[in-house]
Amino acid sequence: MKVKTGHNVKVHYKGTFTDGTVFDESRTRGKTLEFQVGSGQMISGFNDAVVGMDEGETKSVTLTSENAYGAPNPEAFQTVPKEAFGEDFDFVLEGMIRGNGPQGPFVAKIHEIEDDSIVLDFNHPLAGKDLNFEIEVVSVKK
């Protein structure tokens, strides 16, 4: 059965950057990814890639950043005083941090380290990147 909008699918996938580095792979977790096609649960390019595939079919697609996580949003950068972190906090450029802010839990990347502050990037870590996916449709249900 060919995948159509509204179908529930289970897929295995491997996601790589354009240099071939693997950033995610469902098989390493030993679990398929399940979603309803067209429901908005997935990035648009991934969703569109499975439409028309048959159960058991595998294909490779390249998604531009616009069809994946979009371009980085310049408004998603925020300068934070270093004193907001503990005295022993190890600031690592490009390092990921988790914390709790006024709007609740957050994940951000340290974009820049200044004398008294740091600049945090709250964009999705894959924003601005073109992505390759190898997708295998494991099952399709109406």
Side-chain angles (χ1 to χ4, degrees):
M1 168 184 348
K2 288 202 179 292
V3 176
K4 294 181 182 176
T5 298
H7 286 172
N8 292 304
V9 296
K10 291 182 182 181
V11 301
H12 269 302
Y13 68 92
K14 178 166 72 172
T16 59
F17 296 120
T18 54
D19 69 359
T21 303
V22 176
F23 65 84
D24 196 10
E25 186 171 7
S26 63
R27 290 186 195 283
T28 60
R29 289 187 302 280
K31 186 175 180 188
T32 56
L33 172 67
E34 301 178 36
F35 66 98
Q36 183 181 31
V37 179
S39 67
Q41 295 172 283
M42 301 299 297
I43 56 175
S44 64
F46 194 99
N47 181 89
D48 295 348
V50 300
V51 173
M53 290 180 69
D54 285 311
E55 190 171 297
E57 182 180 350
T58 299
K59 79 174 179 182
S60 296
V61 296
T62 298
L63 306 180
T64 62
S65 63
E66 293 79 22
N67 291 316
Y69 292 92
N73 178 353
E75 295 178 13
F77 291 84
Q78 181 178 353
T79 301
V80 178
K82 283 184 175 177
E83 65 191 34
F85 299 84
E87 272 186 41
D88 298 329
F89 191 87
D90 185 21
F91 296 99
V92 177
L93 189 63
E94 301 295 315
M96 297 301 288
I97 63 168
R98 294 178 189 276
N100 286 303
Q103 284 83 33
F106 69 86
V107 177
K109 179 172 65 173
I110 298 176
H111 177 72
E112 190 176 328
I113 301 173
E114 300 171 348
D115 290 340
D116 296 327
S117 62
I118 62 169
V119 177
L120 296 178
D121 178 358
F122 288 91
N123 282 291
H124 189 283
L126 298 177
K129 298 187 185 304
D130 293 342
L131 306 175
N132 301 310
F133 286 98
E134 181 179 285
I135 304 169
E136 176 191 359
V137 175
V138 176
S139 72
V140 181
K141 293 184 180 165
K142 290 184 180 182

